[in-house]
Amino acid sequence: MKKVYTRPKLLKEAHFHYCLGCGHGIINRLIMEVIEEMNLQEKAICVAPAGCGMLLYNYFEIDVLESAHGRGAAVATGIKRASPQNLVFSYQGDGDLAAIGTAEGFHAANRGENITIIFVNNGVYGMTGGQMAPTTLLTQVTTTTPAGRDALIAGHPVRICEVFAVLDGTSYLERVAVNKPSAVIKTKKAIAKAFQRQLDGRGFSLVEILSPCPTNWKMGAIEACQWVDEVMSKQFPLGVVKEVAC
Amino acid sequence: MKRLMSGNAALGEAAFLSGCTCYFGYPITPQNELTEYMAKRMVEAGRVFIQSESEIAAINMVLGASVTGARAMTSSSGPGMSLKQEGISYLAADELPAVIVDMVRGGPGMGNISPAQSDYLQATRGGGHGDYKTIVLAPGSVQELTEVVPLAFDLADKYRNPVIILGDGMLGQMMEPVSFDDLKPPAEYEKDYTLTGAKGRPARKMHSLLFDTKLLEEHNWKLSRKFQRIEQNEVKYETYLTDDADMIVVAYGIGARIVKGAIKRLRQENLKVGMIRPITLWPFPAKVLQEMAKTVNDFFVFEMSAGQMVEDVKLSLEGKGHIHFYGRPGGVIPTPVELFRIISRHYYQAHALKRKK
């Protein structure tokens, strides 16, 4: 019988600490699948964030460095410039990249650093208990927007791909999701493409992944997956936002 | 061969010759000449130079470069140093080597851009969050930078710890003849902790997150033992006319240089004043001061601040001796004549008190 699915060897045999229905586990696995399939284990260095993704090093069988909250793109820049032969990527959440680390991400993108950012957008601060993130939708209820996000008080959801797209230094920006099998397949392709472009020396790439957070959205897992399609992706349209040909 | 160079430029050249392969900086006065020197020198030699978007980014780039095994450096001054403290705490936690230059200016807040010694406590007490220390070196001349800079890179690698070179606006800006002929690049250390991709070895992880309180406490004590070793082995200081002195001035960096001028005048009037100049501010030369206190009663602390190192002198003397203090904060640079007047007044008062006893 043909084996169609197995745990990637680079994904450690540990239990994920992620909540039920969380997208991080899928994204972690996809990254390890891609690195394994592209045979990049000996080259890859991951910069882990502060937030739900911070324990990546317990799951990834590749070199991983923890970064301070929001500084992933600057740390990745330091690694890549010092050691250009490595595949360097940071894994960052929406609070990490779109709030406290905006300057680091923006300027790494603007310099056209030959790194990749895997940007997990679940619209909340997950690890700290579901506070408003820069990407929280208007009217969305969080612990710090109990009456729903009000633009007058808390501003508007940030679309990182579109913001970065106007920077001449960016090379490849795509927004994908992990809420259904077809979306997962697209996400895997996007990650592989971003890594390949980095290997080809094409400069800054970012894959934004819409990821369900049932716990903090106060939804069931299936409802959360549907919400990504029906509500979240209206604010954050899926697809390639920018791809520089050469 | 001697060249006329500013302290900032000489520091850059010394770092280059010490094998610094990655420099990350952000403009702030009075250290700009260092960043500008590196912009040319590093790029021409094919080494890494980035003008970062902030001091926070610069120190995190240093962290990234250091984790690959590179000799990495950044530089700044007061307000920028405050921003770097987050990254310095992570460097200390991850036990990563790095050299950080602080050309101190007047503070707090925006302060001014004149020479000051007001970052002493920030530098010597860790500066960021958590239990840690940074090694702090305080050069007193442009020439001495050529000794201190390779030492800084060496100590950083030897102890896997951030090292701060604490200068000031005057040291950075003034030009002096300097020779690099005797500069010996520090040894290359075997680094078994670097992240370079899991080639021919298991994957590595580097993190300071230790949820388990027992593990973090263990890590804290491990760091603490390292700091004790540094205290035992790496204290550096200079003494000046201390053998017959009955008053010892404690001063560092450019402040000590002004004091030397004052002491020359004091000696002309037969006042027996000497000086100890700590070169390592942490570890502080506490034992030497304790030894001196066996024969000397009066210690005169001079700083270009409202009084910071004086705390270390008090801690070192543990209640022995009498401590005099004179400070000029705000970026004010006193003249040797001013210090001569103040020190001699304290000297005569101390002698009058002795006679009363």
Side-chain angles (χ1 to χ4, degrees):
Chain A
M1 199 197 284
K2 192 185 166 200
K3 197 173 187 181
V4 293
Y5 176 76
T6 188
R7 169 191 281 271
K9 286 193 201 77
L10 296 182
L11 196 62
K12 291 181 187 174
E13 294 214 17
H15 290 290
F16 283 134
H17 71 286
Y18 305 122
C19 305
L20 291 175
C22 168
H24 275 294
I26 301 169
I27 299 164
N28 287 191
R29 175 171 55 76
L30 289 179
I31 294 170
M32 286 304 101
E33 280 181 6
V34 168
I35 289 180
E36 193 165 304
E37 286 165 20
M38 293 176 76
N39 201 20
L40 293 171
Q41 190 211 4
E42 296 186 344
K43 276 191 165 194
I45 303 175
C46 171
V47 178
C52 289
M54 76 196 309
L55 294 170
L56 283 179
Y57 43 74
N58 289 337
Y59 314 129
F60 283 10
E61 198 66 56
I62 58 167
D63 282 4
V64 181
L65 170 66
E66 161 206 85
S67 131
H69 193 25
R71 315 300 174 220
V75 173
T77 296
I79 295 174
K80 186 72 180 186
R81 292 285 190 112
S83 192
Q85 68 277 13
N86 285 107
L87 176 91
V88 183
F89 68 98
S90 67
Y91 185 105
Q92 301 183 251
D94 37 44
D96 201 75
L97 180 67
I100 195 167
T102 313
E104 288 79 4
F106 182 94
H107 287 280
N110 190 49
R111 283 190 304 266
E113 295 293 343
N114 194 25
I115 59 170
T116 303
I117 296 181
I118 304 295
F119 171 42
V120 181
N121 177 359
N122 61 11
V124 283
Y125 283 79
M127 180 163 263
T128 46
Q131 293 83 6
M132 180 193 72
T135 48
T136 297
L137 303 185
L138 291 178
T139 73
Q140 189 180 339
V141 173
T142 70
T143 60
T144 50
T145 53
R149 184 173 186 173
D150 178 349
L152 285 176
I153 298 170
H156 299 266
V158 176
R159 284 186 286 259
I160 280 288
C161 278
E162 286 78 356
V163 171
F164 282 19
V166 299
L167 301 173
D168 291 341
T170 53
S171 158
Y172 169 59
L173 309 166
E174 180 166 358
R175 186 180 290 118
V176 289
V178 286
N179 61 327
K180 56 191 177 190
S182 59
V184 170
I185 290 167
K186 276 186 192 163
T187 298
K188 185 174 171 182
K189 281 184 183 156
I191 294 169
K193 191 167 168 182
F195 287 172
Q196 188 57 52
R197 288 180 71 97
Q198 183 183 149
L199 294 173
D200 296 342
R202 288 178 163 198
F204 185 88
S205 53
L206 180 145
V207 180
E208 174 174 346
I209 306 169
L210 303 187
S211 174
C213 180
T215 299
N216 289 305
W217 294 355
K218 314 284 184 219
M219 293 177 193
I222 295 169
E223 193 192 349
C225 288
Q226 287 167 345
W227 195 77
V228 171
D229 266 345
E230 291 160 13
V231 183
M232 198 179 182
S233 57
K234 301 290 181 288
Q235 175 70 28
F236 301 107
L238 302 180
V240 175
V241 177
K242 182 175 179 181
E243 186 173 352
V244 177
C246 57
Chain B
M1 189 189 74
K2 287 207 168 183
R3 295 155 66 179
L4 186 66
M5 287 177 95
S6 74
N8 281 327
L11 205 162
E13 182 60 22
F16 184 90
L17 295 174
S18 299
C20 173
T21 54
C22 298
Y23 172 88
F24 309 97
Y26 183 86
I28 185 168
T29 308
Q31 61 82 55
N32 293 316
E33 297 78 7
L34 174 51
T35 311
E36 288 163 1
Y37 189 86
M38 295 308 253
K40 191 164 187 289
R41 190 74 165 109
M42 297 292 273
V43 172
E44 280 175 1
R47 299 188 193 178
V48 176
F49 169 89
I50 297 180
Q51 179 177 329
S52 64
E53 61 272 25
S54 70
E55 286 91 347
I56 298 173
I59 192 74
N60 281 286
M61 290 173 189
V62 164
L63 190 144
S66 180
V67 87
T68 70
R71 279 210 165 116
M73 182 172 99
T74 182
S75 61
S76 194
S77 184
M81 286 302 291
S82 294
L83 291 175
K84 287 191 194 294
Q85 297 305 328
E86 175 194 76
I88 296 172
S89 172
Y90 278 79
L91 285 163
D94 290 342
E95 294 194 80
L96 284 173
V99 173
I100 303 128
V101 178
D102 181 1
M103 287 298 178
V104 185
R105 56 188 252 176
M110 197 72 90
N112 59 28
I113 55 170
S114 297
Q117 296 185 318
S118 45
D119 291 359
Y120 180 95
L121 288 173
Q122 184 192 51
T124 57
R125 264 57 178 177
H129 60 284
D131 258 337
Y132 74 95
K133 296 278 190 184
T134 54
I135 299 169
V136 185
L137 305 174
S141 69
V142 177
Q143 185 61 52
E144 197 178 32
L145 280 170
T146 66
E147 295 159 35
V148 159
V149 172
L151 176 65
F153 281 103
D154 186 61
L155 292 173
D157 277 344
K158 186 174 173 186
Y159 292 101
R160 288 184 56 183
N161 206 68
V163 176
I164 291 177
I165 297 175
L166 197 73
D168 64 81
M170 186 187 257
L171 182 71
Q173 302 274 320
M174 71 181 177
M175 296 182 87
E176 288 192 295
V178 56
S179 161
F180 298 95
D181 295 346
D182 296 330
L183 190 151
K184 283 190 201 80
E188 292 294 335
Y189 285 77
E190 197 70 39
K191 296 179 175 177
D192 60 1
Y193 56 86
T194 55
L195 303 186
T196 50
K199 193 175 184 179
R201 60 161 173 80
R204 286 179 184 152
K205 55 183 181 180
M206 182 170 286
H207 59 96
S208 58
L209 175 72
L210 294 163
F211 273 131
D212 185 333
T213 53
K214 279 183 197 149
L215 287 180
L216 181 54
E217 189 185 28
E218 216 171 275
H219 182 55
N220 287 142
W221 286 126
K222 184 188 162 214
L223 292 177
S224 179
R225 288 192 294 275
K226 175 170 84 175
F227 299 140
Q228 282 172 14
R229 285 201 301 280
I230 296 171
E231 281 177 327
Q232 281 161 14
N233 299 326
E234 306 301 342
V235 172
K236 270 180 89 80
Y237 58 90
E238 180 202 358
T239 54
Y240 179 66
L241 302 176
T242 50
D243 288 349
D244 64 339
D246 45 27
M247 176 180 265
I248 303 244
V249 181
V250 191
Y252 70 96
I254 217 70
R257 192 133 156 206
I258 306 168
V259 167
K260 250 186 198 174
I263 290 179
K264 278 178 190 154
R265 288 163 193 271
L266 292 161
R267 286 280 169 172
Q268 280 165 13
E269 303 213 349
N270 294 320
L271 304 192
K272 290 180 182 170
V273 179
M275 177 173 71
I276 176 164
R277 175 175 74 93
I279 296 169
T280 52
L281 300 179
W282 191 85
F284 194 73
K287 280 183 189 155
V288 191
L289 281 169
Q290 280 166 14
E291 274 305 306
M292 288 174 167
K294 288 178 182 168
T295 53
V296 178
N297 188 50
D298 291 283
F299 293 84
F300 185 104
V301 180
F302 168 66
E303 294 175 77
M304 283 153 64
S305 76
Q308 300 197 10
M309 181 181 66
V310 66
E311 289 186 9
D312 274 338
V313 177
K314 284 178 187 169
L315 286 168
S316 302
L317 293 176
E318 294 178 335
K320 295 183 198 82
H322 181 75
I323 295 166
H324 309 251
F325 173 73
Y326 184 63
R328 291 302 306 264
V332 174
I333 308 158
T335 61
V337 174
E338 176 184 340
L339 287 180
F340 158 76
R341 267 196 236 117
I342 303 284
I343 296 169
S344 59
R345 191 170 77 209
H346 281 257
Y347 187 92
Y348 283 121
Q349 280 170 353
H351 273 257
L353 284 172
K354 253 185 221 163
R355 276 197 293 276
K356 269 183 200 166
K357 276 180 200 166

